[in-house]
Amino acid sequence: MFRVPFTADRYNVRRRDYAKLSEDDLRVFRDIVGDSGVVTGPEDLEFYNVDWLRICRGQSTVALRPKTTQQLSDILKHCNTRKLAVCPQGGNTGLVGGSVPVFDEVVLSLNLMNHIESLDTVSGTLISQAGAVLETLENYASERGRVVPLDLGAKGSCQIGGNVATNAGGLRFLRYGSLHSNVLGLETVLADGTILPFGTNMRKDNTGYHLHHSFIGSEGTLGVITQVALLCPPKPSSVSLCFLGLNSFEDVLKCYDETSKALTDILSAFEFLDTECYTTSYQEHNVSPPLKPFPFYVMIEVSGWNAEGDTNRVSSLVETLMNKNLVIHGTIVNEPSHMLSLWKIREGVAEALTRRGYVYKYDLSIPKREMYNLVEDVRKRMGSSVESCSGYGHLGDNNLHLNIVTKDYYPEVTKQLEPYIFEWTRKHKGSVSAEHGLGFKKRNVMQYSQSPQAIKLMQRMKELYDPNGILNPYKVLPDSFPS
């Protein structure tokens, strides 16, 4: 298998002045979590050092697997005293290098902190340890008549703590909003080992600053999330999915306008993908293509409690879209296995593209009308120097996933893409990170979406929460700050 270059070498990063791991440290860690909770074998460490995209690779010589909040607290207390850098890690499905070490940071894995504590079926409040896998939570909630307000392509391996730490968006954002809207409380451990317990876990609580919101999207740089209280809405009893073929992005926009008006109360997802993403995904995943080739495709999911009525509304909408020549061909399904097959095409795009070469990924918020203009501009700019340039994403919440594929990583390609893409995004008043976070790879482009004043305040927060800077260094915050 291709060996991923070290992140520090590929991106020319200098190690900061942290302590080096010693045998005494390992003895302390074994006292805390036992021999089975300390991973030191080089082959075993490969999982913890290499990111999902196989682009970033750290040099950690130990991964720790605590089972309780107290064990995790004891680990951080020791690391903070020794000034050992720490990389908190959930399911390691991140796309910006935030979940793997850059140098020899101690990997703090949440894999064994995966117990689901409870789900109050009256209030919908689910309490779980941070290491619970998202799909496991979804199944647990579904069996009790509730739905987790987050759905991701990586749900089979990503963890709820990592989802919250990165403020993951996903496919249900349009219906349920961000995790800031759905996380009722957090248990978090600070860098010095201080355990910050849950508050009230009530939807309405105006007793002071909402501290738990500072950890949502902080990517493990301010504290380590150990438990989550999540609001889970009632589970819809009726779900339908449309897969439609369109001739232009302008038609995609008109289709969204018609859909949002006709189905606003039951609309749960509105996704688009271009023909490159569609073709690559079904070919690489060996899925039968549901439609013939079109320039663009749209997926519309609705969920409600009136199966017959919802189906009739969806059918009526598709008929209207076809009569207006906005949709050329399409299919409507409501059988679970058929819906899963269609979702596999959309959710499998990211992985499919990685099988074609090195992927330069950009996760951007851009006004709907301008979204595909960026794809076309970059495609024209790069020409034949790249294998492909494609776009897909969550149109309902203005989120474009722009992907440029080359046979291998080429620094000169990066120079052609950056800062061009970030400047283009700023010019159109967008965000350089819509849902993936900044992690390692995007830390130095924060200024394209945040003011110097905001960045300075974030630095002050980091110094307050983590004075020694041991938590997930080289991530989120830029290497240099505005003067």
Side-chain angles (χ1 to χ4, degrees), residues 351-375:
E351 181 182 352
L353 288 169
T354 64
R355 298 180 186 179
R356 299 286 175 98
Y358 182 93
V359 185
Y360 303 79
K361 299 185 70 67
Y362 297 90
D363 161 53
L364 310 161
S365 281
I366 296 175
K368 291 181 180 64
R369 189 160 293 282
E370 305 294 338
M371 283 176 73
Y372 207 74
N373 289 344
L374 176 58
V375 182

Side-chain angles (χ1 to χ4, degrees), residues 52 58 61 64 127 134 144 155 162 182 203 243 267 279 285 300-301 364 372 392 394 405 408 462 466:
W52 180 78
T61 56
L64 305 178
I127 297 178
L134 180 59
R144 292 157 178 81
K155 60 189 172 187
N182 294 289
R203 294 187 71 180
F243 201 104
L267 183 61
T279 303
H285 294 298
I300 302 170
E301 184 188 79
L364 310 161
Y372 207 74
Y392 68 98
H394 319 294
V405 179
D408 200 350
K462 172 69 172 175
D466 179 18

